[in-house]
Amino acid sequence: MGVVIRRTLAKHENMLAFKGEHATHCLKAIFGGVMSVFEEWGVRSVINASGAVTRLGGAPMPEPVLDAFCAAARESVCLDELQAAASRVIAAVTGAEAGLVTAGCSAALMLGAAAILAGDDPARMERLPQCDGFPHEFIIAREQRNPYDHAVRASGAKFVEVGFHEPVAGSGVRRVEAWEYEAAITPQTAGLFYVYDATARPRLEEIVDVAHRHGLPVLVDAAGEVYPRSNLKTLLESGADLVTFSGGKGIRGPQATGLLCGRRDLIASAAVQMLDMDDHPELWEPPTDFIDRTRMKGMPRQGIGRHLKVSKEQIIALLMALKLFSSGAYDRQRAEMTTWLQQIAATLEGLPVQCRLQVPGDGESLPILYVDVLEATAGISAMEVCRRLRRGEPAIQVGHGLLYEGKLVINPLNLNEARSAILARRLREELART
Ligand SMILES: *Cc1c(COP(=O)(O)O)cnc(C)c1O
């Protein structure tokens, strides 16, 4: 693959000229001024224009986050004390009573469900995922079922579905309604589960109202829904008992981190089911504002979430990322990102595509470039362009969410000027073939 290049590459115009071997050399510069660490191990590195997708390793961690990660790796700490401190930070940022740093949003979902199932009872904690003899059903809208609900079911919980999927089935216009959740509540119901996005129906407040009238908690999956930033607060303000977010998406913390936020008693239950509990009951002294052991009949042992452990480095790095994110430190980059996308659109002028640059007016969300491939004129489908970019050199991945509509989605989160110039050149090459 050639030699290690120790220079950074400058300008857009220069980049457009690079081809073949040259492009490989450029790539090394682009991935940090040295040969890509992945290529040293024989793995292709990828230009990621898809955003914070897990498949490609998530979001880029800002320098202060990386520094925090390395600094934390050099010392030891009591994990329960560190999580207690994290809880206070998460509480301050989200308005929740307490919070826990988890191994991703999926992990937060499983721990949240486990906390609702077991509460303060160490005997139940020990039995999970066996739940015979106590309420363990979560009510969920059929239209909200998705592959991440493995996480909730892994706790031992069972789903009870309500509503239909009418608009997608093409059979009607109605969405699931609050009364349907209420009608499904039985003595076996442990809680209501809700997957949040701005278009989800019924609104979260209505679900919370139904649940609380029956003394039941609501667990919310809001993994990537961190824009607008106020979501970090408003979802909890709606009264939801537990809300989960990914740490490695918009927040730009370590890819394998997440947040569980909400009621103090439930967070304590989740924490003891995740933390390493190999200690003497006589010596166990968790911070009392985080884990109130007087509520528990005994000291829990290793719990169902023990395989979801989070490292001290991940916790510290996520706290730093959360601080940057919640203070609006990322907003400044939007202007520069918009310029990259404008340059890509300009490079595609005259080709059989329609570009639409969307710059959200909230001042927070990322700009996105939609490239509509006019297949009849271009003689190539968006799917095929996407495939060729992936197989090409360097490998490039664009957003694939609208391929069936003939659109490529360019998300600038993991781009920089040099990478976006290469992306523009490769798009031009593939679209100008005919
Ligand atoms: C990404 C995502 C998850 C999983 O989040 P991780 O942090 O990757 O574990 C769960 N639910 C939804 C809806 C998601 O989009």
Side-chain angles (χ1 to χ4, degrees), residues 52-54 102-109 144 146-149 151 193 195-196 221-225 244-249 254-259:
V53 294
T54 298
T102 62
C105 179
S106 260
L109 290 173
Q144 293 192 353
N146 70 78
Y148 294 107
D149 64 37
F193 179 58
V195 182
Y196 174 82
D221 177 356
E225 302 298 319
T244 64
F245 296 101
S246 287
K249 293 181 178 170
Q255 159 62 180
T257 58
L259 293 171

Side-chain angles (χ1 to χ4, degrees), residues 106-128:
S106 260
L109 290 173
M110 192 189 108
L111 289 163
I116 289 171
L117 293 175
D120 299 322
D121 185 348
R124 283 191 186 182
M125 291 177 195
E126 208 152 275
R127 284 179 54 200
L128 291 184

Side-chain angles (χ1 to χ4, degrees), residues 215-346:
L216 293 167
V218 179
L219 171 64
V220 180
D221 177 356
E225 302 298 319
V226 295
Y227 286 116
R229 280 194 290 283
S230 53
N231 278 358
L232 287 179
K233 286 204 159 80
T234 52
L235 300 190
L236 286 147
E237 279 164 8
S238 75
D241 299 82
L242 286 174
V243 179
T244 64
F245 296 101
S246 287
K249 293 181 178 170
I251 296 172
R252 302 187 209 178
Q255 159 62 180
T257 58
L259 293 171
L260 178 67
C261 339
R263 261 167 51 190
R264 189 179 302 281
D265 59 322
L266 293 174
I267 294 294
S269 173
V272 295
Q273 294 188 76
M274 177 182 84
L275 289 168
D276 182 86
M277 298 297 291
D278 183 25
D279 201 356
H280 294 278
E282 295 89 333
L283 296 177
W284 186 45
E285 290 177 340
T288 49
D289 63 332
F290 183 53
I291 297 168
D292 179 1
R293 66 172 293 186
T294 63
R295 293 173 64 103
M296 299 178 191
K297 281 187 294 231
M299 179 181 174
R301 294 200 173 81
Q302 309 292 30
I304 192 169
R306 176 61 181 76
H307 61 289
L308 302 173
K309 72 176 173 188
V310 192
S311 71
K312 60 191 189 300
E313 302 82 4
Q314 290 176 304
I315 297 169
I316 286 291
L318 177 60
L319 293 184
M320 178 59 78
L322 188 60
K323 186 173 142 188
L324 293 172
F325 173 78
S326 60
S327 67
Y330 300 156
D331 295 353
R332 295 194 279 282
Q333 294 167 7
R334 289 173 85 244
E336 197 183 15
M337 289 176 169
T338 305
T339 313
W340 304 332
L341 297 181
Q342 282 165 341
Q343 286 170 346
I344 294 169

